Every structure is written in structure tokens, then in C-alpha cells.
Amino acid sequence: MKVDSKDAKLALAHIYVAFTALLIGGLAGLLQVFVRSGAFELPFGIGYYQVLTVHGVLLGLILTTYFIMGFQIAAVSRTAGALSSTQRKLGWIGFWLMTIGTIAAASMVLLNEASVLYTFYAPLQAHWIFYAGLALVVVGSWIEGIAQIMRYAQWRKQNKGLTSPLLAFMAVVNNLMWFVASLGVAIEVLFQLLPWSLGLVDRIDVLLSRTLFWYFGHALVYFWLLPAYMIWYVVVPKVIGGKLFSDSLARLSFMLFLLFSIPVGVHHQLTEPGIDGFWKFLQVVLTFFVIVPSLMTAFSMFATFELRGRELGGKGIVGWFKQLPWKDSRFLVPFIGMVAFIPGGAGGIVNASYQMNQLIHNTIWVTGHFHLTIATAVVLTYFGAAFWLIPHITGRTLTGRMNSLANIAGILWGVGMFIMSGAMHVAGLLGAPRRSEYSTYGGSEQAAEWISYQLAQAIGGTILFISILFIIGIVINLLWFAPKGEEEFPVAEATEGSGKTPAILENFKVWGVILVALILIAYTFPIFEILDNSPAGSKGFKLW
């Protein structure tokens, strides 16, 4: 019932890097909102876009990827059994490749040779080491994912005819989605960005590079999100003393995410010339299919909450709600994330809508949106998981004092994000651009309307950084100072009478064929047209 001790060391190594990235990336985010307020200038010649790149890469790519891999390794070990020595060795190889790549990419950003932002859009050109470093991060994550899949396949072989452990199944789905999606950015880096940044070619096809990036970029959001869903589906019900509402529903929702998270990247390019309107419309339609498994998840979670609340004596329409364990940070902190995902998801519908996107495209509304979805729903769920995962694998306990501090940190995060993200949404509707430093735009009357909202962003960002300091302190305590003891890795069982899980939900061949078909339908003609009608391309620019 525990994570194997050798697997725990591998998981713990990822957690060290993840929370180091949180501290540095969070500080960079604080400096960003200070600069955008107009009341602060960066010292020592540090550039705003340099800080923006640090924030985006460390929190958007490094924190998430390391935590996900660490959590999934622990989840597979806990539910499908300890990794074999070969599988564990692959895990360590992947970890060190990722770490070498992270150090290489970070070095270039700190040297101001790669201030190309989180999306590293061409024709902004970074040093080739930056691109090579990110490629190593992706390759390392592939190797770690393969180790997890091998353990799952071994369990299936040893337990023929049985339904596989749900957490291990979910980890496999997330890894498969990551493999398929990251092929896009791997092709972009290896065949476009690296030769171009090395000077082997003079020009780059900007539209093709962005299309390959967003083939990867939107599925990346679900790579971040699905581990949070793993925790919502499997861990949180156990934390509140309940059971998983339906094993079949959980597996079906994950398979639907696998199908519909990848062939939708063009909805990030609705204002991009060079892509025919029909293919944009098709991918918008496919994007709206992703709403279905999200609604399935919301139904499953609140059904679980109500059933448990009524077991504990809750009466009436909302009486059950009062019975939930609101003082338990393992529940409260992820629950704040769940609530934030409601307006975050609604904003996603706006972003993906053909007409409404015209109003908010490339405004700071979009930044506010993904701070609700990823930086709140996902990251708060990761934090809530860390409060039991770290002591579980270090042999310590979450004390009452640390639990109270964790609740304070979660509430501070929710308040800070409400202020910051809310201001971003409103300023975006007023036309404030994203990715931009503080500017009055030559005394523009419209730009003057944004200033008060940028001040609010600085206030919200400050509260968020205070929350980060609380969380780092809790993590340090759980790693080295908390009392020795046993902390549970919560895994919920399915509700009795929920029925046997259909075997087709674990038939990856069937779902894989459907996935490949959808990708070919959504991307074959757009990429062919891009290649057929490509201009000469752009030379590289370094504007910092």
C-alpha cells in the first residue's frame, strides 16, 4: 500500500526541482507585475522580457513537468507495484536528461540570450543551446513515460482479465497524450529552430513553426490538467472518506481527453493568416468536444461530494456541503482549484469561439484565463497533493500546524489570483495587450484606462508570492523537519454497484486508431497548404 522506497527517491528528486522552479519562477512573476504597474524598474540591466521568459518557462514547463513525472512515478509504484530495476534506471536517465536540459536552457535565459517568452515564437531567435536544452527536457520526459508504461504493461501481463489500477491507467493515458503532442514541438525544434539558430539556414517558415507549436501547445494544457484530474477522481474522494463515483466514467473521460486535446491547436491561431477558415472552424468544433469530459468530471466530483456529505448526516439541498472536511488542506486546497476552474473553463470557451476570440486575442485576457486554469486549478491541486505525497515518501507526517498553514496558503492564493486574474480579464476587454512591458503608448487615452488594473495585478501578484513563500516553507518542513511517521497515499475504491468497467476502455489500440484519424483529418490539409504556399520565410530577430 506504499510507494516503494527506491521509487520514492526518484519521485522525490523531481519534487526538489519542481519547488525550486516554483520559488524562482514565482519571484520572476512578482517582478513582472511590479514592472507592469509603472512604479518599479528592474535593477542591474535585467530586461522585462528576460524575466517574463524565466517566469513562463520555469512555471509553465519545468514546475509542471517535474511534478507530473514525480507524482506519476509514485502513483504507478503505489497502485501497480514497484518499478523494476530497468524501469527505475530509465526513470533516472530521463530525470538527468531533463535536468541537464533545464540547466542549459535556464543558463541562456539568465545570460539574456533567449528572451523569447514561454512560446518561443519565431522569428524571435534564441541561442541554439536554449532550444537544445528544451529538447532534452522533452526527450527525458519521454524516457520516464516509457518506464511508467512498461510497469503498467507488466501489471496487465501478470493480471490478465483484471481491470488495471485506475491511477496507473490514467498515468499511461497522460503519457501517451504527451508523446503524441510533443512530437509537434520536437519536429519544430529539431528541423526548424535548431538549424535556424545554428546558422545552417537563414530563414524560418513562421506559420509552420507556430502551427507545430500549437499542435503541441494546447495538448500541453491537458498534460498539466490530467494529473490534477487523477487527484480529483482518485485521491480526493478517499481524503473525504468517500468512494470514487464511477471507475468507468473516469476512464472514459480520460480517453476522450486523449482524443480531443490534440487536434485542436489551430484555435490558438484564429487570427493567423495562411490557414483556411474551414480548418479553423473544424478545430473550433473539435475544441468544444473537450468540454464533454470536463463536464463529466465536474458531475462525478460533486456527486461524490454529495454522497459523502449525506452519509455524514447532511440534510436538504445544501446540507451535505457543510459536512465536507473544510479544515483538511488535502481537500480544501484542491477544492479552491476546482472552483477556479469554473470561470477558467468558461473563459476557455470564449478563447476558442470563432467570433469572441476576435475581441480578446493577444490581450491580457488570455493571460488571466490560463492563470485561472493552470496557475490555480492545476497548481493548487498539485500543492494539495504535495501535502500528503511528500510526507508519504519521506516517512514524515503533516502536522496540524502545517495543515493550518497550508489552508492559509491556499486561501491567500485564491484571493491573490482573484484580484490579479480578474484585473487581467477586465483590462483585456479594454484592449490591454499581453506580453507587453509597462507603457503609456505615447500618452494614449485608451492605455491610461489600463493603469489601475495593472496596479491591481501587482497587488494580487504580491499576495500570490506571499502564498508561494508559505508553500515553500511547508514543503521544507515536510522534507526535513516534520515528525517521523506514516502518511497515507490516498486511493479511493469505486462505489459499490457502479458496475464492471468495460474492457474496451483499456483497449489502447482502438482509441489510438481514432486519435491518429482525428489528427490526420485536422492537420494534413492545413500543413500541406502551409508548405505549398510558404513564402521565403523570416530571418531571426533579437529585440532585447
Side-chain angles (χ1 to χ4, degrees):
M1 300 296 289
K2 289 190 65 176
V3 176
D4 179 81
S5 59
K6 292 180 181 178
D7 298 339
K9 290 179 181 177
L10 178 57
L12 199 58
H14 291 80
I15 288 171
Y16 289 145
V17 179
F19 282 95
T20 302
L22 171 67
L23 181 60
I24 300 171
L27 177 60
L30 180 67
L31 294 175
Q32 271 183 261
V33 291
F34 280 177
V35 170
R36 286 182 62 88
S37 72
F40 177 80
E41 291 186 8
L42 291 167
F44 313 120
I46 300 171
Y48 173 80
Y49 296 100
Q50 186 178 7
V51 171
L52 174 54
T53 305
V54 170
H55 177 68
V57 171
L58 284 184
L59 297 191
L61 297 176
I62 304 305
L63 163 66
T64 52
T65 305
Y66 273 89
F67 185 87
I68 289 165
M69 287 298 159
F71 169 72
Q72 288 184 171
I73 286 165
V76 170
S77 178
R78 162 69 173 81
T79 58
L83 302 182
S84 69
S85 57
T86 300
Q87 294 157 5
R88 196 175 300 116
K89 190 176 295 182
L90 286 174
W92 280 112
I93 291 170
F95 169 80
W96 285 113
L97 280 177
M98 286 172 59
T99 304
I100 292 167
T102 298
I103 293 169
S107 298
M108 291 300 104
V109 177
L110 294 174
L111 291 171
N112 204 24
E113 293 289 339
S115 298
V116 293
L117 319 187
Y118 144 73
T119 45
F120 45 88
Y121 264 5
L124 294 178
Q125 188 180 66
H127 195 283
W128 70 268
I129 292 177
F130 173 78
Y131 298 125
L134 291 180
L136 283 177
V137 172
V138 172
V139 172
S141 68
W142 286 351
I143 294 171
E144 292 202 45
I146 289 170
Q148 297 164 38
I149 292 172
M150 287 171 65
R151 183 65 191 95
Y152 172 81
Q154 183 180 344
W155 189 98
R156 291 286 302 273
K157 186 176 181 180
Q158 293 169 347
N159 299 270
K160 290 183 179 179
L162 297 180
T163 302
S164 65
L166 181 56
L167 266 183
F169 167 86
M170 289 173 159
V172 169
V173 173
N174 199 35
N175 280 313
L176 289 175
M177 184 180 68
W178 176 244
F179 294 162
V180 177
S182 53
L183 284 174
V185 78
I187 292 169
E188 179 196 8
V189 169
L190 292 176
F191 295 102
Q192 286 191 288
L193 297 177
L194 271 176
W196 177 60
S197 59
L198 282 165
L200 302 178
V201 295
D202 291 331
R203 295 176 179 270
I204 188 170
D205 187 328
V206 172
L207 179 56
L208 179 61
S209 72
R210 291 184 181 182
T211 302
L212 289 171
F213 178 86
W214 284 117
Y215 167 92
F216 153 81
H218 191 78
L220 173 64
V221 173
Y222 290 97
F223 173 65
W224 299 329
L225 182 61
L226 289 191
Y229 276 20
M230 295 179 205
I231 295 161
W232 295 0
Y233 270 115
V234 182
V235 173
V236 171
K238 180 68 172 179
V239 167
I240 66 173
K243 293 189 176 182
L244 171 68
F245 180 73
S246 169
D247 183 278
S248 300
L249 184 147
R251 291 177 199 260
L252 177 60
S253 70
F254 265 61
M255 282 304 189
L256 292 178
F257 277 121
L258 176 65
L259 296 185
F260 295 115
S261 61
I262 298 171
V264 297
V266 167
H267 82 244
H268 288 266
Q269 300 173 272
L270 293 180
T271 63
E272 194 99 64
I275 299 177
D276 186 80
F278 171 79
W279 300 109
K280 293 178 180 178
F281 176 75
L282 175 66
Q283 295 212 20
V284 164
V285 172
L286 290 173
T287 302
F288 276 72
F289 277 104
V290 183
I291 298 170
V292 175
S294 292
L295 292 176
M296 289 167 61
T297 301
F299 168 79
S300 177
M301 292 314 306
F302 281 88
T304 299
F305 296 158
E306 181 174 357
L307 287 171
R308 179 57 179 161
R310 294 195 183 283
E311 278 182 8
L312 294 173
K315 305 293 183 183
I317 297 176
V318 295
W320 57 269
F321 196 69
K322 300 175 184 178
Q323 302 296 324
L324 299 176
W326 297 109
K327 294 182 180 181
D328 189 338
S329 62
R330 301 173 303 162
F331 168 71
L332 177 63
V333 175
F335 185 84
I336 296 171
M338 293 180 198
V339 172
F341 199 64
I342 298 171
I349 295 172
V350 172
N351 296 344
S353 298
Y354 218 118
Q355 292 80 7
M356 288 187 284
N357 181 272
Q358 308 305 306
L359 176 65
I360 54 85
H361 191 85
N362 261 351
T363 70
I364 202 165
W365 159 288
V366 180
T367 312
H369 160 70
F370 63 69
H371 276 85
L372 276 182
T373 52
I374 305 308
T376 308
V378 169
V379 170
L380 278 185
T381 302
Y382 290 177
F383 295 159
F387 299 149
W388 54 259
L389 178 61
I390 294 174
H392 176 84
I393 60 182
T394 57
R396 299 183 183 272
T397 57
L398 176 67
T399 63
R401 183 169 176 236
M402 287 299 108
N403 180 70
S404 298
L405 287 176
N407 284 332
I408 292 170
I411 293 168
L412 281 174
W413 192 284
V415 171
M417 193 61 75
F418 175 79
I419 296 170
M420 188 182 80
S421 177
M424 288 176 171
H425 277 85
V426 177
L429 291 174
L430 295 174
R434 62 187 293 200
R435 303 188 180 100
S436 62
E437 193 175 357
Y438 174 79
S439 175
T440 60
Y441 292 88
S444 164
E445 184 178 334
Q446 183 182 8
E449 296 178 341
W450 309 334
I451 304 302
S452 60
Y453 294 103
Q454 290 172 186
L455 289 169
Q457 291 164 33
I459 293 169
T462 302
I463 297 171
L464 281 166
F465 188 70
I466 293 170
S467 175
I468 287 174
L469 294 178
F470 270 95
I471 290 161
I472 294 295
I474 295 165
V475 167
I476 289 172
N477 176 269
L478 295 177
L479 284 170
W480 295 296
F481 301 106
K484 292 285 187 179
E486 295 286 333
E487 194 71 40
E488 180 188 21
F489 187 130
V491 176
E493 298 176 356
T495 304
E496 294 175 8
S498 60
K500 181 176 171 59
T501 301
I504 194 171
L505 291 176
E506 295 192 276
N507 190 331
F508 286 96
K509 292 179 181 178
V510 170
W511 299 99
V513 169
I514 299 172
L515 173 63
V516 171
L518 286 172
I519 292 171
L520 291 176
I521 291 168
Y523 273 103
T524 301
F525 282 99
I527 289 179
F528 175 79
E529 290 175 356
I530 290 169
L531 294 172
D532 192 45
N533 300 305
S534 290
S538 174
K539 291 187 175 182
F541 289 89
K542 183 177 178 180
L543 305 176
W544 59 90

